[in-house]
Amino acid sequence: MKLTMFKSKLHQMKVTEANLHYEGSITIDTELLDKANLLPYEKVQVVNITNGERLETYTIPGEAGSRVCCLNGAAARKTEIGDRVIIISYAEMAPEEAEDFKPTVVIVDENNDPKTVVDETGYATKYDLETGIVDNTVIKETDSD
């Protein structure tokens, strides 16, 4: 038996572009993909915090350092520039592997700069959307270089 588990996410990404005339996908800064343990062309779920829309697509690597988050093709109709989204990936694994697996969660600021990497699965009880992380025992600051 395989379980589908939450693997990683970019949390609170701000949509910087929407390109209706591209064939599809979501373009994300390569540095952010790496930090969130996401691969180019990996299937992701995009959850729009601003309007409640949800969609599935795949990642396309964007220019490193650009902090781009661009919904392409039909997905561009489900978002507006400035919307906040969560980009989530999942992985299939055996139950014994899943028991010890810890997802990667990268929380970004208003400029899509990574601010924290949550390294504990208990973060949900520690995170407040209004104020951000409220218990620093579950996070580590990201490197600024």
Side-chain angles (χ1 to χ4, degrees):
M1 172 175 58
K2 295 279 188 179
L3 302 174
T4 302
M5 301 295 293
F6 161 45
K7 182 185 125 238
S8 58
K9 77 175 173 177
L10 286 162
H11 194 74
Q12 294 279 357
M13 288 285 292
K14 181 167 73 174
V15 175
T16 59
E17 300 174 41
N19 185 350
L20 181 61
H21 302 292
Y22 190 80
E23 63 190 48
S25 67
I26 184 168
T27 305
I28 302 170
D29 179 322
T30 301
E31 291 176 1
L32 295 173
L33 287 176
D34 290 344
K35 195 164 284 288
N37 192 27
L38 291 166
L39 294 174
Y41 315 109
E42 183 173 349
K43 180 180 178 179
V44 292
Q45 180 180 42
V46 181
V47 179
N48 190 319
I49 298 167
T50 306
N51 67 20
E53 292 281 355
R54 300 171 82 88
L55 63 102
E56 289 183 345
T57 190
Y58 60 93
T59 64
I60 289 183
E63 180 182 344
S66 67
R67 300 306 185 243
V68 65
C69 177
C70 178
L71 276 293
N72 299 303
R77 293 197 185 275
K78 298 195 174 273
T79 190
E80 292 185 28
I81 294 172
D83 283 359
R84 300 303 254 182
V85 297
I86 305 169
I87 301 157
I88 309 165
S89 71
Y90 302 91
E92 289 188 2
M93 54 188 79
E96 53 276 2
E97 183 183 13
E99 286 179 19
D100 296 322
F101 182 77
K102 303 286 188 233
T104 302
V105 177
V106 177
I107 301 169
V108 300
D109 67 11
E110 63 278 356
N111 299 311
N112 289 344
D113 288 322
K115 287 300 174 196
T116 55
V117 176
V118 178
D119 57 6
E120 300 277 338
T121 56
Y123 81 95
T125 60
K126 313 289 186 195
Y127 187 76
D128 176 32
L129 285 175
E130 295 296 317
T131 61
I133 297 294
V134 294
D135 182 349
N136 287 331
T137 63
V138 299
I139 62 166
K140 60 183 177 184
E141 291 297 320
T142 61
D143 297 332
S144 55
D145 39 78

